[in-house]
C-alpha cells in the first residue's frame, strides 16, 4: 500500500476536505451490515474509515470510490460518522492529485464535459432543449407559475427524453404555465460533487443560480431526485433559497386540486422502487405511492427492501459514470426482486434508476420480461 503524502498530512487533508467525522467511529460494523456492496462482493466501509483515521488510505485504490452514497450506513450509524462526507473527502484528495483507478477514469471525461458543455454526456449545450420541440413547451419567462428544471439525462438520453415529454404533456394537460431554460440550463452538479470535483460543482451551481435569479425564478420543478437534493439542500450554501418540488409531490397536488383528471385504467401489477435520493435522503416515500394508488385498475405491490430499506440501484455517488462488473450490479438484484412479486411494471422516479434497470432488464429471459417506467409515463397514459 502506498500513500501520496505522509500519514499526518493525509489525515489533515481528509479533515480539510470535510471528512473529519471519521474520528467518531468506534468500529461497530453496522455500516458493513447494511452496505449493498456486500450483496455482491466483500466490502468494508468500516475499514475505509479506519484507514482514514490513521492516514493509511490508499489513494490509488478503488475502495472509497465504490460508495454509491445510498445513505444506508448513515441511517444506521449510532455515532453520526457521516460516511458519505468522508468518502467524498477522500475522492476530493484523489481528484486533486489526479489519481483515478481504471474503473473510475470515465469520471475525468464527464468532468471535462460538465465544465465545457454543462452536461456529463458530451452533448452540445445548444441541443439541450431539442427534446421539447413539438410538445408545446415554452422558454421560461418571469411570472410563469413554475420552472421545469429538466436535468441532463432527460434532456439528452433517448430513453429518458420520454420522461421529459410525459412530464411536459402532464403539465400542459393540467393547465400549468411553465417553461424550461433550454441551453441556459446547466447540470445541477450533484453527482460530480459526490465524485470529488468540488470546483466543477461550484461552477455549475453558481451558473445555475445566476440564471435563476436573472430569469426571476421562484419555484422549480424537477424530475430527478439528484437535482431535487442539490437544488433544495445544497444550493442554499450559496445564500439562495428557491422553492423546489419533485414531480411526484406536484402530481399529488395537481390531482387533489382537480387540475389533473385521471380518466383511464392501468390494469397491471406495479411495484415501486424508492430512489435513494428521494427516499432515504429526502424522506419522500408516500407521494409516489399515493399517485399510483389513485389510478384505477393498478395493483400496487411492495418488494422486499422497500421504503427506508430500499436497495440502491448502484448509480449514485457518480457511479452512474463508473465501470461496474456485470456480476456486481445491484440493479440486477432489484429487477429480480420485482419479478419475485410478479410485477409487470417496475416503476420509479429517477433517471439513474431507470438507466440501470433498463440495462439489467436486457439481460433477462424473454419470458421474464418486465417494463421499466417512470411514474410520469404511467400517469400520462391514463389522463
Amino acid at each position: 500500500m502506498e500513500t501520496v503524502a505522509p500519514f499526518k498530512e493525509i489525515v489533515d487533508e481528509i479533515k480539510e476536505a470535510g471528512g473529519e467525522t471519521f474520528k467518531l467511529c468506534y468500529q461497530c460494523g453496522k455500516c458493513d451490515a447494511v452496505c449493498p456492496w456486500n450483496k455482491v462482493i466483500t466490502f468494508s466501509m468500516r475499514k475505509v474509515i479506519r484507514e482514514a483515521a490513521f492516514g493509511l488510505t490508499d489513494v490509488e485504490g478503488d475502495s472509497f470510490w465504490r460508495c454509491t452514497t445510498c445513505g444506508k450506513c448513515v441511517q444506521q450509524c449510532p455515532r453520526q460518522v457521516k460516511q458519505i462526507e468522508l468518502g467524498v473527502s477522500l475522492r476530493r484528495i484523489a481528484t486533486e492529485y489526479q489519481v483515478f483507478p481504471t474503473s473510475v477514469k470515465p469520471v475525468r471525461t464527464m468532468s471535462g464535459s460538465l465544465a465545457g458543455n454543462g452536461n456529463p454526456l458530451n452533448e452540445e449545450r445548444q441541443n439541450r432543449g431539442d427534446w421539447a420541440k413539438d410538445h408545446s413547451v415554452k422558454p421560461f419567462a418571469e411570472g410563469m407559475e413554475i420552472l421545469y428544471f429538466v436535468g441532463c439525462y432527460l434532456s439528452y438520453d433517448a430513453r429518458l427524453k420520454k420522461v421529459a415529454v410525459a412530464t411536459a404533456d402532464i403539465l400542459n394537460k393540467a393547465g400549468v404555465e411553465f417553461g424550461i431554460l433550454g441551453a441556459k440550463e446547466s447540470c445541477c452538479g450533484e453527482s460530480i460533487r459526490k465524485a470529488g470535483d468540488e470546483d466543477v460543482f461550484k461552477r455549475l451551481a453558481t451558473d445555475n443560480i445566476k440564471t435563476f435569479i436573472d430569469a426571476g425564478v421562484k419555484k422549480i420543478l424537477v424530475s430527478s431526485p439528484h437535482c431535487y437534493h442539490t437544488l433544495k439542500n445544497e444550493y442554499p450554501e450559496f445564500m439562495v433559497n428557491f422553492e423546489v418540488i419533485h414531480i411526484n409531490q406536484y402530481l399529488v397536488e395537481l390531482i387533489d386540486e382537480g387540475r389533473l383528471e385521471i380518466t383511464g385504467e392501468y390494469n397491471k401489477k406495479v411495484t415501486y422502487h424508492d430512489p435513494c435520493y428521494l427516499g432515504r435522503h429526502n424522506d419522500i416515500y408516500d407521494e409516489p405511492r399515493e399517485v399510483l394508488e389513485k389510478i384505477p385498475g393498478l395493483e400496487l405491490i411492495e418488494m422486499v427492501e422497500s421504503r427506508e430499506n430500499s436497495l440502491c440501484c448502484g448509480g449514485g455517488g457518480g457511479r452512474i459514470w463508473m465501470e461496474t462488473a456485470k456480476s456486481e450490479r445491484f440493479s440486477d438484484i432489484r429487477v429480480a426482486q420485482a419479478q419475485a412479486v410478479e410485477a409487470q411494471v417496475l416503476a420509479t422516479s429517477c433517471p439513474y434508476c431507470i438507466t440501470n434497470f433498463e440495462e439489467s432488464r436486457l439481460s433477462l429471459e424473454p419470458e421474464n420480461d418486465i417494463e421499466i417506467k417512470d411514474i410520469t409515463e404511467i400517469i400520462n397514459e391514463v389522463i
Side-chain angles (χ1 to χ4, degrees):
M1 179 185 297
E2 296 181 3
T3 55
V4 296
F7 299 161
K8 185 178 183 301
E9 182 179 340
I10 284 288
V11 172
D12 290 342
E13 288 199 36
I14 292 170
K15 290 179 179 179
E16 290 176 11
E20 188 175 4
T21 55
F22 65 76
K23 64 185 181 183
L24 299 175
C25 177
Y26 60 10
Q27 295 286 292
C28 70
K30 286 188 176 181
C31 52
D32 289 354
V34 297
C35 181
W37 274 111
N38 285 303
K39 291 181 178 291
V40 293
I41 62 171
T42 300
F43 175 73
S44 178
M45 175 56 72
R46 177 172 58 171
K47 181 180 178 183
V48 172
I49 295 167
R50 195 64 167 172
E51 289 176 344
F54 289 100
L56 294 172
T57 298
D58 179 9
V59 180
E60 296 181 352
D62 69 351
S63 59
F64 56 85
W65 289 103
R66 286 193 175 271
C67 178
T68 64
T69 68
C70 74
K72 270 202 166 185
C73 54
V74 178
Q75 187 182 55
Q76 296 294 324
C77 182
R79 297 278 288 173
Q80 290 77 53
V81 171
K82 298 182 181 179
Q83 291 87 345
I84 292 174
E85 284 83 348
L86 172 62
V88 171
S89 72
L90 295 171
R91 293 174 178 187
R92 287 179 184 170
I93 295 169
T95 299
E96 180 183 346
Y97 286 100
Q98 288 293 292
V99 177
F100 301 97
T102 300
S103 64
V104 179
K105 285 182 179 178
V107 171
R108 289 190 296 186
T109 302
M110 304 304 177
S111 182
S113 179
L114 284 164
N117 301 312
N119 70 82
L121 305 173
N122 206 28
E123 296 282 354
E124 296 293 331
R125 177 180 283 277
Q126 62 263 31
N127 298 335
R128 194 173 183 104
D130 286 359
W131 67 270
K133 293 177 180 177
D134 304 319
H135 292 287
S136 302
V137 178
K138 300 175 183 178
F140 180 82
E142 188 169 3
M144 282 186 169
E145 186 176 351
I146 206 161
L147 166 69
Y148 178 31
F149 187 90
V150 185
C152 301
Y153 280 77
L154 272 66
S155 295
Y156 294 112
D157 181 85
R159 166 65 185 90
L160 291 163
K161 285 180 186 178
K162 297 177 182 178
V163 178
V165 169
T167 303
D169 287 349
I170 290 168
L171 296 176
N172 281 322
K173 290 173 184 175
V176 177
E177 189 181 13
F178 76 100
I180 63 171
L181 295 173
K184 295 180 181 178
E185 178 184 295
S186 293
C187 178
C188 69
E190 185 277 330
S191 292
I192 197 62
R193 187 181 214 187
K194 301 304 186 298
D197 200 328
E198 186 71 5
D199 290 341
V200 171
F201 165 72
K202 287 179 178 177
R203 191 182 316 168
L204 294 167
T206 52
D207 284 350
N208 277 327
I209 290 168
K210 183 179 186 303
T211 300
F212 296 161
I213 293 172
D214 289 347
V217 172
K218 303 295 183 185
K219 187 173 184 178
I220 304 172
L221 174 70
V222 298
S223 293
S224 169
H226 297 269
C227 295
Y228 179 85
H229 180 78
T230 293
L231 296 180
K232 185 176 180 66
N233 302 321
E234 297 182 340
Y235 277 27
E237 295 173 21
F238 298 89
M239 307 304 291
V240 293
N241 282 283
F242 303 98
E243 183 181 356
V244 184
I245 187 169
H246 187 268
I247 184 61
N248 286 342
Q249 297 171 309
Y250 202 43
L251 286 172
V252 173
E253 186 179 315
L254 292 174
I255 294 170
D256 287 349
E257 291 177 354
R259 300 176 68 180
L260 193 64
E261 184 180 359
I262 297 174
T263 56
E265 295 186 357
Y266 198 80
N267 297 305
K268 295 181 180 180
K269 292 182 178 180
V270 178
T271 191
Y272 176 71
H273 165 77
D274 294 277
C276 300
Y277 273 80
L278 201 60
R280 268 187 299 275
H281 285 281
N282 286 288
D283 202 34
I284 299 175
Y285 297 106
D286 295 333
E287 290 92 332
R289 291 169 173 82
E290 187 175 342
V291 171
L292 292 171
E293 287 170 346
K294 291 179 183 292
I295 302 173
L298 186 150
E299 182 183 350
L300 182 61
I301 46 183
E302 294 286 357
M303 292 180 279
V304 296
E305 297 187 273
S306 64
R307 298 183 72 93
E308 292 87 350
N309 296 315
S310 182
L311 175 63
C312 177
C313 79
R319 287 207 60 87
I320 192 69
W321 305 323
M322 303 178 202
E323 297 173 5
T324 302
K326 187 178 183 304
S327 62
E328 298 177 359
R329 297 193 309 203
F330 307 162
S331 54
D332 286 6
I333 299 172
R334 196 54 163 164
V335 172
Q337 290 176 341
Q339 289 179 320
V341 295
E342 300 183 342
Q344 295 167 282
V345 178
L346 172 53
T348 189
S349 305
C350 174
Y352 294 173
C353 296
I354 291 174
T355 298
N356 284 338
F357 293 156
E358 289 283 16
E359 187 172 341
S360 292
R361 186 180 66 84
L362 294 176
S363 66
L364 300 175
E365 295 297 326
E367 61 265 30
N368 291 326
D369 201 10
I370 187 170
E371 293 181 272
I372 311 298
K373 293 277 190 180
D374 189 273
I375 286 180
T376 54
E377 294 178 292
I378 297 175
I379 286 290
N380 200 36
E381 290 184 34
V382 295
I383 56 173

